[in-house]
Amino acid sequence: MEPIFGKKEVGKNYQDRFGVYVIISRNNAKEVILVQAPNGAYFLPGGEIENKETHQETIDREMLEEVGFQVTVGNYLGEATEYFYSSHRDTYFKNPGYFYVVDQWVKVAAPTETTNGLSWVTPDEAMLLLKRGSHRWALQKWMTEKA
């Protein structure tokens, strides 16, 4: 059974928001990259599946948008669902997330989304910074598997 994070509030209408996220590392997995949204929150790179995209198509698009990378996807870490309220969108979301590890990456351009920040941090720092429990779960699973 997949892990579930966040609190599902009774009587609220949740909108499904399926997403695909990745762990990108460098320096022999001593650093991972995080995306910092304009509100200051940190996330793993990735995002919402749009227009019936495959997971790979979502990853390819999101990596160019958020980090300017072309990536080669490796292991699938699994699925985790997160319930949350977005004050920015004034919407309650059920966010099933699919998490992957990137085996190789190359920077090919500047990110097309210019409002985010990017930070290379240690995995332990990332565990403290990541906003979503599902993202921390995926990072912890990756840290355990590579140990």
Side-chain angles (χ1 to χ4, degrees), residues 53-139:
E53 290 172 321
T54 64
H55 289 191
Q56 184 65 57
E57 289 168 337
T58 302
I59 291 167
D60 290 344
R61 176 181 51 76
E62 288 285 347
M63 294 310 100
L64 290 173
E65 289 175 0
E66 292 187 346
V67 293
F69 293 176
Q70 282 183 342
V71 302
T72 302
V73 175
N75 288 345
Y76 175 61
L77 292 168
E79 176 183 351
T81 295
E82 183 113 20
Y83 289 94
F84 66 92
Y85 173 74
S86 169
S87 56
H88 175 68
R89 294 184 175 93
D90 191 24
T91 304
Y92 287 86
F93 286 106
K94 176 185 178 187
N95 179 209
Y98 307 95
F99 295 88
Y100 292 86
V101 177
V102 166
D103 284 345
Q104 295 180 325
W105 58 271
V106 61
K107 184 164 181 66
V108 294
T112 59
E113 291 179 354
T114 58
T115 57
N116 295 325
L118 298 173
S119 297
W120 287 100
V121 299
T122 68
D124 288 338
E125 289 171 315
M127 289 297 289
L128 298 172
L129 290 170
L130 286 167
K131 179 175 184 175
R132 301 260 179 258
S134 57
H135 291 218
R136 289 190 301 274
W137 166 83
L139 183 64

